[in-house]
Amino acid sequence: MKRSSSQVALSVGRRAAMAFVAALLVVAGFWTSWGTAQHVLLSKGREHGTLAVTECGETACTGTYDPEGSAGPRADAPIERSVAVKKGQEYEVVRKPGSDELVRAGSSGRLLAWVPLGGALLLAAPVVGGGLRLTRTAWGTAIAGALLLAAAFFAL
């Protein structure tokens, strides 16, 4: 049975829309992750140190920041509050250039920075599988996202 041109156009339009949605999800996840990951991955030349968390508020935790080198410790250094930051713990951190905000460093910091990308990969998998009919690619996308999230979870 021959398909009409309107059926072909509808099929192509549907696939293009699904490809756009899947790409948008992955790009948004990468962009969100890169906001933190750039400071952790490209940390050469940035100020490193340790943060002893003493207090946590609604959106941020603060503590005593002890930078490497000759600079002395500073009190009330902020770090974004998350499940990965707990009062009474000490963390390896990197200071964001041009601000006083700190970001977790080390292997756990690298994994935690990419959590939004892992979630985006999981969200994009059904779109790739159902909308684009690329089942193997969808499974690969879902497995990559799940592995990233599991690694970050166990790094806590």
Side-chain angles (χ1 to χ4, degrees):
M1 183 169 144
K2 189 175 179 181
R3 292 172 53 175
S4 69
S5 60
S6 61
Q7 288 175 326
V8 171
L10 186 60
S11 177
V12 168
R14 180 186 55 83
R15 290 178 69 85
M18 291 296 115
F20 176 75
V21 169
L24 183 66
L25 284 169
V26 173
V27 167
F30 176 83
W31 189 259
T32 304
S33 293
W34 186 247
T36 302
Q38 66 178 321
H39 304 295
V40 179
L41 297 175
L42 307 173
S43 64
K44 187 175 182 178
R46 298 190 182 175
E47 188 177 333
H48 294 257
T50 56
L51 175 71
V53 178
T54 56
E55 188 177 326
C56 286
E58 288 292 318
T59 59
C61 292
T62 58
T64 305
Y65 172 58
D66 188 13
E68 293 176 354
S70 60
R74 295 189 295 251
D76 295 329
I79 189 168
E80 183 180 350
R81 182 174 185 174
S82 70
V83 294
V85 178
K86 295 181 180 134
K87 183 179 175 181
Q89 298 291 319
E90 195 169 288
Y91 302 103
E92 183 182 343
V93 292
V94 173
R95 189 173 65 88
K96 287 184 177 180
S99 76
D100 288 333
E101 191 177 347
L102 303 171
V103 178
R104 290 237 356 222
S107 59
S108 61
R110 285 185 195 100
L111 287 170
L112 290 172
W114 292 107
V115 165
L117 178 62
L121 289 170
L122 278 177
L123 286 173
V127 176
V128 171
L132 295 174
R133 311 257 196 255
L134 299 172
T135 354
R136 289 183 185 157
T137 306
W139 275 106
T141 303
I143 289 170
L147 286 175
L148 183 57
L149 293 176
F153 175 78
F154 289 114
L156 291 176

